[in-house]
Amino acid sequence: METIFFITNRCPLSYNSRNRSRYQDILRTDFSNFISQYPSIPLNASLYSKIIYVYKPRKNNEILDVDNLSKPIVDAFNDIIYKDDKIIEHRICSKIKRENLDMIKININNLPEKIFEKWEEYIESDCEHILYFEVGEFKNEMVKFGGE
């Protein structure tokens, strides 16, 4: 099963936001630039999702909890990347300050060229927000107890 990758420079909205529906429409529109790379969607198997939000902190800028950050993104792709997000059995969500990005291991070997090009564009243009979303086949060994 192929892994689906998506990246955008949108600022995430909370699950509780009144503008959530509009935000999800914007995410789907942004994803339409990548959809042709994924002929096998919607996926219909046990899945994992990974969300990484890279941001520049600002004074008085409230940063979302990861649970509120991830839900609207996952919900936005029902009937597009997967039939229903109920088949996501493992969800990882991280938020990383832009200043700490140097300390994060980034494996670009598996990224499609179009996704990597967008990543570079956002990094080079010093984007305030980078939102990365990945969905793939869930494997039991992804679940770890007791630390790493």
Side-chain angles (χ1 to χ4, degrees):
M1 172 187 298
E2 72 180 323
T3 302
I4 310 301
F5 300 92
F6 171 56
I7 193 167
T8 186
N9 61 352
R10 306 290 179 178
C11 178
L13 286 185
S14 169
Y15 178 73
N16 301 315
S17 172
R18 289 188 306 269
N19 297 322
R20 185 182 67 210
S21 181
R22 183 174 180 282
Y23 168 70
Q24 290 172 324
D25 287 342
I26 291 168
L27 289 178
R28 287 187 286 264
T29 299
D30 288 355
F31 182 69
S32 68
N33 296 316
F34 302 97
I35 201 165
S36 64
Q37 296 181 319
Y38 306 113
S40 64
I41 60 174
L43 303 175
N44 193 16
S46 296
L47 301 174
Y48 77 89
S49 70
K50 182 186 296 182
I51 296 167
I52 302 171
Y53 173 46
V54 180
Y55 66 96
K56 286 183 172 181
R58 302 171 93 190
K59 288 184 180 179
N60 301 326
N61 186 18
E62 185 179 322
I63 300 300
L64 299 174
D65 295 342
V66 291
D67 57 339
N68 285 326
L69 183 154
S70 66
K71 182 83 171 120
I73 297 165
V74 170
D75 287 349
F77 294 103
N78 280 323
D79 288 322
I80 298 171
I81 294 178
Y82 29 78
K83 279 292 193 196
D84 191 303
D85 65 356
K86 291 178 186 172
I87 63 175
I88 296 175
E89 297 191 23
H90 186 63
R91 185 187 313 179
I92 303 161
C93 185
S94 304
K95 55 185 183 182
I96 302 163
K97 292 179 184 169
R98 179 71 183 259
E99 64 199 46
N100 296 333
L101 198 54
D102 302 11
M103 297 179 265
I104 305 299
K105 181 180 175 183
I106 301 172
N107 181 356
I108 60 169
N109 295 330
N110 296 327
L111 292 179
E113 186 174 341
K114 205 169 182 181
I115 298 292
F116 178 69
E117 287 170 358
K118 276 291 181 193
W119 170 260
E120 280 191 319
E121 175 188 322
Y122 296 153
I123 294 295
E124 289 171 9
S125 64
D126 206 27
C127 277
E128 192 172 334
H129 311 280
I130 304 172
L131 188 61
Y132 171 84
F133 185 47
E134 174 183 320
V135 177
E137 182 178 7
F138 171 72
K139 296 180 173 99
N140 288 329
E141 55 269 17
M142 293 174 163
V143 178
K144 308 273 188 215
F145 284 90
E148 275 196 54

